[in-house]
Amino acid sequence: MMDESDSVLRTLGQLRGLGVRIALDDFGTGYSSLGYLRRFPVDKIKIDRSFIHDLDKRDTAAIVRTVIGLGAELGITVTAEGVEAEAQLDMLRKAGCGEAQGFLIGAPARASEMSRLLRSQEKLRRSG
């Protein structure tokens, strides 16, 4: 799908017109590149978990901060994937990252489990 054909661009534009948000997953690895930010109507950048895992390395931290800043400049939401430690989350918050996902936030769950979790959270809010 990541070719530059007019039909792909037209389809992505139509999807956005319907309210579908477009995310560039695993940013920084594989087929994700800066060029895609210019060519495609992207709403979200998801920083690949390999970068978050190596946040303690100076060069990697600089890259992550730069991607977060780039997202802010372009008006694109940035999500950090694979957040597993408080120190990672703290650094990401300080850098201005608005979203995070990973085992620190919550483990993957089935839809039925999520429904139960949301219901219990709603009960806690009502009783509190």
Side-chain angles (χ1 to χ4, degrees):
M1 181 170 155
M2 297 308 277
D3 67 23
E4 297 180 51
S5 71
D6 289 337
S7 66
V8 170
L9 293 172
R10 192 171 34 258
T11 300
L12 289 173
Q14 290 170 335
L15 287 168
R16 282 186 89 201
L18 294 171
V20 174
R21 296 190 54 195
I22 310 296
L24 189 54
D25 199 19
D26 299 331
F27 190 76
T29 64
Y31 293 104
S32 295
S33 77
L34 290 172
Y36 292 151
L37 297 177
R38 289 181 27 179
R39 293 189 293 259
F40 298 105
V42 174
D43 299 295
K44 180 181 284 195
I45 298 168
K46 295 181 80 178
I47 301 172
D48 187 71
R49 67 185 313 108
S50 63
F51 287 93
I52 306 309
H53 181 266
D54 291 337
L55 263 180
D56 57 335
K57 296 178 180 163
R58 189 175 140 255
D59 292 351
T60 303
I63 291 168
V64 169
R65 285 191 306 272
T66 301
V67 171
I68 293 167
L70 179 63
E73 287 291 322
L74 295 174
I76 298 173
T77 302
V78 176
T79 303
E81 299 178 318
V83 177
E84 297 180 358
E86 286 288 338
Q88 292 169 331
L89 187 59
D90 289 343
M91 181 274 173
L92 292 163
R93 282 182 177 148
K94 287 177 186 170
C97 188
E99 295 183 359
Q101 65 185 58
F103 286 109
L104 181 67
I105 312 301
R110 295 178 186 260
S112 60
E113 294 170 13
M114 291 305 300
S115 295
R116 191 174 8 162
L117 175 66
L118 293 172
R119 283 193 304 272
S120 68
Q121 290 297 316
E122 183 61 30
K123 288 178 185 176
L124 285 174
R125 272 187 247 135
R126 282 190 230 150
S127 65

